[in-house]
Amino acid sequence: MTRLLKLFLLVALLFVPTTVAAQDGRVQRTERIAAELVAMSQWAAPGSTAIVAVRQDIEPGWHTYWRNPGDSGGATTLTWTLPARVTAGDIVWPLPQRQRLGPLMNYGYSGEVYLPVPIAVPADAAPGSTLPLRVRALFFVCSAEMCVPDELALSLDLPIRTGAAPPDARHGGAIQRIVETAPRPADISTRITLQGGVATLTAAGGPLAGQNPGPSYFFAFEPRVIDHAAPQSGRYGPRGLTLALTPGAGFASAETPIRGVLVTRLGAFEVSAEAGPPLAGTGGSGDLPPAPDEAPGDAAAPAPAGGFLQAALFALFGGLILNLMPCVFPILAMKAAALAGAAHDAPRARRDGLAFLAGVLTTFLLLAGVLLALRAAGQAAGWGFQLQSPAVIAGLALLMLAVGLNLSGVFHVGAGLQGVGSGPLARLNGAAAAFLTGVLAVVVAAPCTAPFMAVALGSALLMPWPLALLVFLMLGLGLALPYVLVSLTPGLLSRLPRPGPWMERLKGLLAFPMYGAALWLAWVFSRQAGGDALGLLFIAGLLLALAGWLLGLAQAERALDRRWRLTAVAGLAALALAGAGAVMAVRLPASPAGADAPGSGPASAPWSPAKVEAALAQGRPVLVNFTADWCVTCKINEAGALTSARTMEAFRAADAVYLVGDWTLRDDAITAELKRHGRSGVPLYLLYAPGEPEPRILPQLLTEGVVVEALEETLSRPTLPAAAAP
């Protein structure tokens, strides 16, 4: 009986290929969303336009977004890999739900949703063949507490047949309904008029004439053109309707016409509103009832708090580990000197510890606020964004030099400066000095990304701003925690030796990490601004050193009751000249020091998505190094794990392509790619293997063994054949 059953199944399977419909790729899943690429029809005819769709099955409590996400989130994006002469059109966006979340209004989808896309099939497509359609779909999947960018690789093998194709039994009806009901242009005239802080939208003609449109709502295509959360009141007349809109932050700079979807009881229409006076006949017949929110967002079904708690814990651990990263070494020197000075003065140690904590948390709060504001304004920014500015790098280099000179005893802060400068300079000791040390610790920690930090900050930048600020504060707490614990523990402090001449020798020794940091920042500045600007920065540094020496000399002369004012004036003049030199260096037109990739590892090329796809199409693995010259962790990895002889041999054996994404200066494309992988800063190492839908993310702290093993694993995987030339 069993053999007869097997024979029956085998015979039945022989007939399946003659009647098979489009073969869906596997459903791809994350914890928040499942997605697949499906077809509206069972096959496509040569020369026709086929409709396929990205089907989303979104978990309860989560949602994705329309083309204009509203006040937060991001639209779904599709990146296609198609056979020669096959082209994909734009997404046919179904009407979104209005999802209110506290003071915010988002436009998006929940539950099951299809995003149809037209596919142009070439006329010479051979009947009986299949078209392999591949797409990388990036979804921003959000809940009431956090957003996660989920990227899934989807595939569909679309059969080519002649004749009219019947709809797909499972998905065809749903896709067809969306295509048929999607907003379309209509013979509607539209105007937008700004007066008295109200943007009045008038629409007349076409299907609106002589009709009561009922509850109506305008979805703008571009974000921030209108205030999404503000109510839209309106009235109607014999020729159309009027809606009162609240202008958004981007209304003044928006290009006209303002395009969007006008939703009414009569249907949904794409409209294009030119600036001009209101159209006649669009009022006077009655008021429009308000359009209710179609979905309560996630306020009614909040997601678990686990996402935020995980990000906060990762931030705390990342801050602790940040103390061991090389960019914080100079600040460790300053903290060590401060601890030594207060080792046997418990009240002073407690005060300094708490002041240091306050400086760290305040600066993290300010940095996070600026970063979140930039991203809310549509800017592409990430962790370490301030170090992409040559002006910030130049200022930090001179500051590190000044701190080093101070530790070397060239001048003293708070010792006899009352006559040289103003009162505040004299008070820069004790708690104020500890606070400023905390500020400086955060500023110079930006070039490093410790383990756990990437996931925490990547998630934080997509959370609502109160939760994001809390994650950044947890990172600051982790950075300051070791110093604060020691300062609050008398038993640990008592083990340090008592103050004495050794402290001066320690301070002198600890000056050299500061000089090293200044030289490193000067090198970064040269990479950003060029050799001529570096020369001016060196002159500014020389004048700063002269100013420090003259001011230190004035301090000593004043302590001995000698004439000191002329020396002090000369020192202040040198300080002013140093500032002028730094400004000139920053304002000098940039002449970058070369486009070659940082490091001396395997032969590299600048990163681009097209280069990744081209290499994968040839069956070659790709290692992408997202780096920056101001990222110390990146430089350590490039000087060791990425440039060793074993690594070079592994690259040759795997025939791997090495691409470098240089984020030293601002690059929105790299920022977007970091965001796609849930990161907000560098380093990020992606290893693409042919035939694998997703890249492997390597650790931020690389070893030779990690890189070599990862490259060797690509050799053991089956590779796709290289694409044939068209």
Side-chain angles (χ1 to χ4, degrees):
M1 183 65 181
T2 303
R3 291 183 179 179
L4 287 175
L5 180 59
K6 290 182 178 179
L7 180 61
F8 173 80
L9 292 175
L10 179 60
V11 172
L13 287 172
L14 291 176
F15 293 93
V16 171
T18 64
T19 59
V20 70
Q23 294 299 301
D24 301 349
R26 290 182 304 167
V27 177
Q28 302 295 319
R29 300 180 183 277
T30 69
E31 296 177 357
R32 297 156 291 276
I33 187 173
E36 58 183 328
L37 187 60
V38 298
M40 187 173 76
S41 303
Q42 292 187 18
W43 65 76
S48 66
T49 298
I51 303 295
V52 301
V54 174
R55 175 185 170 272
Q56 307 171 46
D57 188 1
I58 307 164
E59 290 294 319
W62 298 86
H63 59 263
T64 58
Y65 292 93
W66 189 54
R67 58 185 299 174
N68 171 8
D71 291 325
S72 63
T76 297
T77 59
L78 305 178
T79 304
W80 292 91
T81 301
L82 300 171
R85 296 180 298 281
V86 177
T87 58
D90 295 330
I91 296 173
V92 179
W93 294 94
L95 282 177
Q97 299 167 337
R98 295 190 298 279
Q99 300 169 325
R100 185 173 294 277
L101 180 61
L104 306 179
M105 175 68 80
N106 296 328
Y107 301 151
Y109 310 102
S110 57
E112 183 183 54
V113 63
Y114 292 84
L115 299 183
V117 176
I119 301 291
V121 180
D124 59 355
S129 64
T130 59
L131 292 181
L133 308 180
R134 306 290 183 264
V135 64
R136 287 184 178 272
L138 176 62
F139 308 99
F140 284 90
V141 192
C142 298
S143 69
E145 295 184 343
M146 66 182 300
C147 285
V148 180
D150 281 333
E151 186 179 44
L152 299 176
L154 311 177
S155 63
L156 172 70
D157 292 328
L158 183 64
I160 303 299
R161 305 281 188 271
T162 56
D168 179 83
R170 182 179 174 192
H171 306 289
I175 300 174
Q176 186 171 352
R177 282 192 296 272
I178 292 174
V179 172
E180 291 175 349
T181 59
R184 284 181 172 79
D187 187 20
I188 298 176
S189 299
T190 319
R191 296 288 185 273
I192 190 80
T193 309
L194 181 63
Q195 186 175 8
V198 177
T200 301
L201 179 79
T202 53
L208 301 180
Q211 301 288 331
N212 180 352
S216 302
Y217 193 89
F218 177 68
F219 292 93
F221 283 161
E222 297 298 325
R224 303 189 304 118
V225 172
I226 65 170
D227 185 341
H228 307 108
Q232 299 183 10
S233 60
R235 56 191 183 276
Y236 71 98
R239 296 190 60 241
L241 62 84
T242 298
L243 284 178
L245 311 177
T246 303
F251 185 88
S253 59
E255 297 181 359
T256 55
I258 293 176
R259 301 173 60 243
V261 173
L262 179 62
V263 181
T264 71
R265 180 177 56 84
L266 306 172
F269 312 102
E270 286 191 10
V271 296
S272 182
E274 297 281 358
L279 296 171
T282 57
S285 297
D287 293 334
L288 295 175
D293 293 351
E294 295 178 11
D298 295 303
F308 165 70
L309 294 177
Q310 181 189 55
L313 288 175
F314 275 17
L316 179 64
F317 290 137
L320 287 168
I321 299 174
L322 198 58
N323 284 280
L324 305 177
M325 305 303 287
C327 21
V328 190
F329 284 170
I331 303 306
L332 288 177
M334 298 177 66
K335 291 197 288 185
L339 276 176
H344 298 276
D345 187 346
R348 175 186 165 192
R350 285 194 298 272
R351 179 199 65 192
D352 289 355
L354 295 176
F356 177 78
L357 175 64
V360 168
L361 295 182
T362 301
T363 311
F364 262 110
L365 199 62
L366 290 174
L367 273 180
V370 172
L371 180 54
L372 293 172
L374 288 174
R375 295 176 75 94
Q379 300 292 318
W383 175 247
F385 71 98
Q386 70 275 19
L387 297 179
Q388 294 173 330
S389 167
V392 172
I393 291 293
L396 282 176
L398 295 178
L399 178 61
M400 292 296 179
L401 175 61
V403 173
L405 293 172
N406 174 257
L407 290 174
S408 295
V410 175
F411 67 95
H412 303 281
V413 177
L417 279 175
Q418 293 91 338
V420 178
S422 59
L425 284 174
R427 294 192 294 271
L428 284 182
N429 54 7
F435 182 89
L436 291 179
T437 304
V439 172
L440 195 59
V442 177
V443 173
V444 301
C448 278
T449 303
F452 299 105
M453 273 182 62
V455 175
L457 297 186
S459 299
L461 293 178
L462 295 170
M463 291 179 182
W465 68 265
L467 299 181
L469 292 180
L470 288 175
V471 172
F472 274 90
L473 288 178
M474 290 296 286
L475 180 61
L477 178 62
L479 177 64
L481 196 57
Y483 181 84
V484 173
L485 288 179
V486 172
S487 66
L488 296 179
T489 309
L492 293 176
L493 289 172
S494 63
R495 300 192 178 190
L496 294 175
R498 291 188 173 277
W502 68 271
M503 286 183 55
E504 291 301 317
R505 292 192 293 271
L506 176 63
K507 285 178 58 179
L509 177 64
L510 294 180
F512 289 93
M514 311 307 292
Y515 295 138
L519 290 173
W520 163 65
L521 288 166
W523 172 78
V524 173
F525 180 78
S526 72
R527 300 280 300 185
Q528 294 177 331
D532 294 340
L534 178 63
L536 288 174
L537 183 64
F538 281 160
I539 293 174
L542 179 63
L543 290 170
L544 178 64
L546 175 62
W549 178 75
L550 288 172
L551 292 175
L553 187 61
Q555 288 175 328
E557 289 176 343
R558 186 174 185 276
L560 296 174
D561 202 19
R562 297 176 181 173
R563 295 181 178 178
W564 55 273
R565 289 184 174 82
L566 184 60
T567 306
V569 169
L572 294 175
L575 185 62
L577 290 173
V583 171
M584 291 174 61
V586 169
R587 300 185 64 178
L588 195 69
S591 55
D596 54 322
S600 57
S604 65
W607 166 84
S608 73
K611 290 178 181 176
V612 174
E613 295 294 340
L616 292 175
Q618 297 171 3
R620 303 178 65 186
V622 182
L623 177 63
V624 182
N625 172 15
F626 290 104
T627 182
D629 287 334
W630 41 260
C631 170
V632 180
T633 309
C634 305
K635 297 292 109 184
I636 292 176
N637 289 335
E638 289 161 12
L642 291 173
T643 58
S644 70
R646 282 189 63 206
T647 300
M648 300 283 283
E649 180 59 33
F651 265 98
R652 285 190 291 269
D655 192 24
V657 175
Y658 182 48
L659 301 179
V660 175
D662 192 347
W663 209 44
T664 302
L665 291 172
R666 174 173 167 167
D667 188 310
D668 290 351
I670 293 178
T671 305
E673 189 68 12
L674 294 173
K675 187 177 180 181
R676 282 162 63 92
H677 296 284
R679 301 300 175 91
S680 64
V682 291
L684 174 63
Y685 304 102
L686 302 178
L687 181 61
Y688 293 84
E692 293 293 325
E694 296 293 333
R696 173 181 173 184
I697 299 179
L698 301 185
Q700 292 167 301
L701 296 177
L702 293 178
T703 64
E704 179 186 78
V706 167
V707 179
V708 171
E709 180 182 349
L711 290 170
E712 288 176 346
E713 286 182 4
T714 64
L715 294 174
S716 61
R717 296 172 179 169
T719 60
L720 294 177

